Structure formats: structure tokens, C-alpha cells
Amino acid sequence: VTISINDLCDGTTYDMYAVQMTSDNFLSENPEKISVTTTENANIAGTYTTVTNGYSGFWEVDAVNFTSEVTITDNGDSTFTFSDTTAGIYPDPDFYGYYNSPAVPFTFDVPCNEISAVLPSPFNNCCDDVIDFKGVINADGTLSVHWESAFGEIMDVVYTKQ
């Protein structure tokens, strides 16, 4: 039986049988059946309040409890689009917004409730900038995200659904 990683996130129940080795190195005669149900991918679509903490290396400005709003859209194909992966940091005047920096939308595949991608530069491919974005969907429905850019930003963001 072959099981791919995507099979482990679809709510399917699998039966497994555990056998024990006896003290004289024989398999026990009574295998024990264990049923395991995989977790379905969470539907993370909605509007979130974000709280960001981190450091903007380029401007040498700390983000301390910086709040913003991000909308996540379910595209119906196991992908979700974030309206701004920087959670408001790039468009904000205290960071890059002074230069009319854009929000950074991106569409993610979300296998097994983990979010991960290297995003292309939002600045017309300037300066080899990319954003390394990693997140996880927590049991309470919040999202915990960590992102870093080539400009030196290192940010941790908590997304709470409104």
C-alpha cells in the first residue's frame, strides 16, 4: 500500500495492525488493530486580524504588536490566496509604504495544515529580494507565520479570525 502525504490530510480512516515481539524474538499471535483517522485540511478562508512582531532590517525599525488585517480566500482547489503576506508591513508608511510599496498577495497550496513558500520579489525583482514564508494552522484556528526577506525583515505574525 502506498500512501502519499496528501492522503494523510483528507479525513480518511486507516486500520493498522501492531504486533509485538515476544521475549524469545517471535511475533505475538494476536496483532492489535489500531484505527487512525487523518485530519482534514482546515478551511482557513476569512478575514483575520494580524499581530506582527519582528525587525525590519532595511529601515532598522522594530515591529512591536503591529496590527493589520488580511483576507484569505479559498480558491476551491486546495489553494488559498492571502491578500498580503507581509500582514501590512510593506504598505505601511513606517516601513515601505512611504515608497508606495504594495501589499504582497500570494496563493498557497496548504497540505496538511502547513503553509510554506518562497515568494518572488514584490519590488519588480529588485535586489534579489524574496520572502521566505512559513506558517502553521494551530489547533485553536489561529495561524502562526514566520517570514524573512532578503532586505533583512524577520517577522512573526499571529493571524486571528474575525
Side-chain angles (χ1 to χ4, degrees):
V1 173
T2 302
I3 299 174
S4 76
I5 189 70
N6 290 332
D7 293 332
L8 298 177
C9 300
D10 64 0
T12 300
T13 299
Y14 294 93
D15 292 332
M16 296 184 287
Y17 294 88
V19 292
Q20 297 178 354
M21 297 292 286
T22 62
S23 60
D24 52 0
N25 291 325
F26 288 100
L27 294 178
S28 65
E29 293 184 19
N30 299 318
E32 187 171 331
K33 179 180 173 182
I34 303 168
S35 294
V36 177
T37 302
T38 62
T39 302
E40 291 188 51
N41 276 343
N43 184 349
I44 59 173
T47 302
Y48 289 79
T49 298
T50 60
V51 179
T52 302
N53 287 284
Y55 177 72
S56 177
F58 186 76
W59 292 115
E60 297 182 357
V61 175
D62 289 331
V64 178
N65 294 325
F66 176 85
T67 59
S68 189
E69 184 175 284
V70 172
T71 300
I72 301 174
T73 304
D74 183 346
N75 299 315
D77 60 358
S78 298
T79 66
F80 294 86
T81 300
F82 285 55
S83 62
D84 184 8
T85 56
T86 71
I89 293 291
Y90 278 14
D92 187 83
D94 288 336
F95 294 95
Y96 299 103
Y98 178 79
Y99 295 101
N100 295 317
S101 297
V104 184
F106 194 78
T107 299
F108 294 91
D109 187 21
V110 184
C112 294
N113 297 323
E114 293 185 8
I115 306 160
S116 179
V118 175
L119 289 60
S121 172
F123 301 112
N124 298 319
N125 297 317
C126 167
C127 316
D128 295 322
D129 185 34
V130 295
I131 297 173
D132 186 8
F133 187 100
K134 293 181 171 78
V136 65
I137 303 167
N138 301 309
D140 63 2
T142 61
L143 309 179
S144 295
V145 169
H146 177 84
W147 65 269
E148 297 183 17
S149 83
F151 282 121
E153 292 100 1
I154 301 171
M155 302 289 174
D156 291 301
V157 188
V158 175
Y159 288 62
T160 304
K161 195 177 266 190
Q162 294 180 1

